[in-house]
Amino acid sequence: MAFRTLHGSRPVRTRFWAEAALGTLSGLLFLATLIRPTWIELVFGVDPDGGSGAAEWLIVAITALVTAVCALGARLEWRRTHPAAAHSPR
């Protein structure tokens, strides 16, 4: 399934939307963990790291990495469908 872009150029594949959604979700999880690191204990009722905070920092690192990879993938997919925008001056 593909959606047309605004200018009717090549269709945007489902991959773009999946990367954008996953990147947004992991970005929100990243921010939530930075703002309130104890959300794991509140939501799941467990303390996986015994209060050291290591699990929270691991989640921050992983979600930051997933967000960056998804953003890069979505950008590359968008540039595939908009080749003129890839070479336009900024």
Side-chain angles (χ1 to χ4, degrees):
M1 173 159 81
F3 295 95
R4 291 274 175 200
T5 59
L6 293 176
H7 301 292
S9 60
R10 296 170 62 180
V12 179
R13 294 189 300 187
T14 305
R15 177 179 174 170
F16 168 79
W17 298 109
E19 288 171 338
L22 182 60
T24 300
L25 181 64
S26 65
L28 291 174
L29 187 59
F30 169 78
L31 289 175
T33 307
L34 280 179
I35 293 169
R36 185 153 192 151
T38 58
W39 70 266
I40 297 170
E41 289 86 0
L42 296 172
V43 172
F44 297 110
V46 296
D47 192 6
D49 56 7
S52 73
E56 288 84 356
W57 284 111
L58 182 63
I59 290 173
V60 167
I62 290 171
T63 55
L65 179 65
V66 169
T67 302
V69 168
C70 286
L72 179 63
R75 180 175 186 256
L76 291 173
E77 184 65 23
W78 184 262
R79 296 287 181 155
R80 183 191 71 81
T81 61
H82 296 82
H87 302 291
S88 65
R90 293 181 187 169

